[in-house]
Amino acid sequence: DCHSVNSAGLYQQKLFDDEFVCLVRKGHPQVRGAITREQFVNLPHAVIKHGLVPGLIEQLLTKSGVRREAVVSLPHCLLAPFIASRTDLIVVVPKLEALDFVEILPLDIFPPPVPMSRFPVRAIWSEEGHRDPANRWLRATIKEISSGV
């Protein structure tokens, strides 16, 4: 369930699988009921540029032969729902993150109009954390909470 990731002594544990979804503001003038492939390609996007998730999104879109019009680059995925809720931009984010934001922001959630495979969400920790009882407890608690996802 956990194993060493690399020579730096990092460990990992799979928590759950997630998938990508599209977020747009409620009342978006072009998107109603679903996002078509044509809309996805032609409408402007806010694109997350930091971390592993953006690279995975781009890989999956490239695999489907899709390019999108990125007009805004965001440094963190937690900004994306706020930007989408106040503009006509589309954002692509992990579904579990999106579900939290549709509860508090005026957003609609749609599946992407192109195939995008599920991906594993993992916890990663150091050798020092691996031996620390408090870190061990935290990892076990996160794993337990994640098992219901």
Side-chain angles (χ1 to χ4, degrees):
D1 205 18
C2 77
H3 62 278
S4 179
V5 174
N6 62 27
S7 61
L10 295 177
Y11 291 80
Q12 71 174 355
Q13 180 178 46
K14 181 180 172 183
L15 300 174
F16 54 86
D17 287 322
D18 202 354
E19 62 188 313
F20 292 111
V21 296
C22 300
L23 290 177
V24 298
R25 72 175 176 90
K26 285 195 180 292
H28 192 288
Q30 285 94 12
V31 178
R32 301 213 192 293
I35 295 177
T36 66
R37 185 180 177 111
E38 183 179 1
Q39 288 171 325
F40 188 87
V41 169
N42 293 322
L43 291 175
H45 288 247
V47 177
I48 303 147
K49 289 293 188 181
H50 179 71
L52 299 175
V53 168
L56 179 56
I57 292 170
E58 295 309 319
Q59 284 176 355
L60 294 170
L61 292 176
T62 299
K63 188 176 177 180
S64 293
V66 172
R67 295 182 59 85
R68 56 187 174 163
E69 182 188 355
V71 297
V72 175
S73 294
L74 304 174
H76 196 280
C77 60
L78 293 179
L79 295 173
F82 291 97
I83 298 296
S85 72
R86 291 168 175 81
T87 68
D88 288 339
L89 300 175
I90 296 172
V91 297
V92 178
V93 296
K95 184 176 184 177
L96 289 175
E97 175 188 322
L99 291 173
D100 287 337
F101 283 102
V102 297
E103 296 293 321
I104 61 171
L105 294 171
L107 291 164
D108 285 325
I109 185 170
F110 298 105
V114 296
M116 295 184 78
S117 59
R118 294 177 63 82
F119 60 93
V121 175
R122 302 178 185 279
I124 299 175
W125 63 94
S126 69
E127 178 69 37
E128 181 181 327
H130 191 68
R131 291 180 268 121
D132 179 52
N135 190 290
R136 197 173 312 147
W137 172 85
L138 180 61
R139 290 193 316 268
T141 302
I142 291 170
K143 179 67 175 172
E144 182 180 335
I145 292 168
S146 299
S147 67
V149 172

